[in-house]
Amino acid sequence: MRTWLAGILSAVIVAAAGVVVTAWLNADGPDTLDRVTGEPPIKVGHVAVDYAAQDLALRKPVQDPADRAVLLGSAGGSRRDAVLARHEWAPLEAAELTVVLVGNRSSLRIVDIQPRVLGRAPVSDGALLVHTPAGEADAIELSADLDQPAPRFATSGDPDAPYFRKKQIDLKRDERVTLSMAVTGTAAYYTFDLLVTVLAGDRTEQLAITGPDRTPFRVTGTSATYQAYYTYSQMGGWQPIPRSQACAIETKLAKAGKC
């Protein structure tokens, strides 16, 4: 009888322990495991810089014959992108970013996103790649100016109030939020990342977001002169143009009084 009762008691204890463990795994278990294994509270699902129809500046002129052939010809996008990367391209005065963040905790709050300047140098003057004027750009949710001493994201409707001081973003596990942001800079050539501050449970953690190629984002102000000027050809590739034509197309040059 004692053996039989002991067996029943053991079975009850095991079943109860199983219920407790199952409840823990379903509730706080995944969060605890993520913290122990070093998993970040949020993940970057997607990051992109929209430069398909935006003016670009290069820090170094394109002098290598092979690189010039790629730039001027109708080579595939990946080859042209490699040439632009080697010459340290940067959007002119505004980098338009799209970032998708994915929750990686049962509950978390994004309390701040800050553009963090990593480097500052004179504006790029190797070459200016000018797009012909297009239609109006898509609406940008948030913008920040790197020329300011402490840049913070704000909305166009309330540019003087830091956005994340009055509004945070709540996410659950696997929930997503898409952010459209413009980071501007006219006084220098900037490299920067996005520093995201997250509150998960009772812990505050930070995550740095860089560009699609895992290098810092870039943006540059307009130079007084460039070593070369190009405009995009409808046949594909970029074609050299004189400075006077660049001034007629690019309003930033004219507005800055540099034409």
Side-chain angles (χ1 to χ4, degrees), residues 57 110 175 177 189-190 193 208 225 245:
I110 300 172
E175 282 188 340
V177 60
Y189 166 83
Y190 296 99
D193 64 8
T225 58
Q245 185 177 347

Side-chain angles (χ1 to χ4, degrees), residues 40-172:
I42 58 172
K43 294 182 178 181
V44 181
H46 175 73
V47 59
V49 182
D50 183 9
Y51 64 93
Q54 187 169 0
D55 299 336
L56 308 176
L58 308 183
R59 290 199 69 73
K60 300 179 291 185
V62 184
Q63 297 176 334
D64 179 79
D67 284 350
R68 281 185 59 84
V70 172
L71 186 68
L72 301 179
S74 56
S78 60
R79 293 180 62 194
R80 189 177 298 125
D81 289 349
V83 170
L84 296 178
R86 282 196 293 274
H87 293 78
E88 301 178 38
W89 69 273
L92 194 68
E93 297 192 2
E96 297 182 3
L97 316 177
T98 300
V99 178
V100 178
L101 300 177
V102 184
N104 198 34
R105 295 288 189 272
S106 59
S107 179
L108 63 89
R109 171 169 289 188
I110 300 172
V111 297
D112 193 19
I113 300 178
Q114 175 188 353
R116 181 174 59 173
V117 174
L118 302 176
R120 178 186 171 116
V123 296
S124 299
D125 64 356
L128 180 63
L129 281 61
V130 183
H131 269 280
T132 55
E136 294 187 8
D138 293 337
I140 297 296
E141 295 177 358
L142 302 171
S143 62
D145 185 359
L146 297 184
D147 295 334
Q148 298 299 317
R152 289 289 190 274
F153 281 109
T155 63
S156 58
D158 196 0
D160 296 326
Y163 178 82
F164 288 99
R165 283 188 183 174
K166 58 183 181 180
K167 184 174 181 180
Q168 289 80 45
I169 300 171
D170 292 320
L171 293 177
K172 296 184 182 300

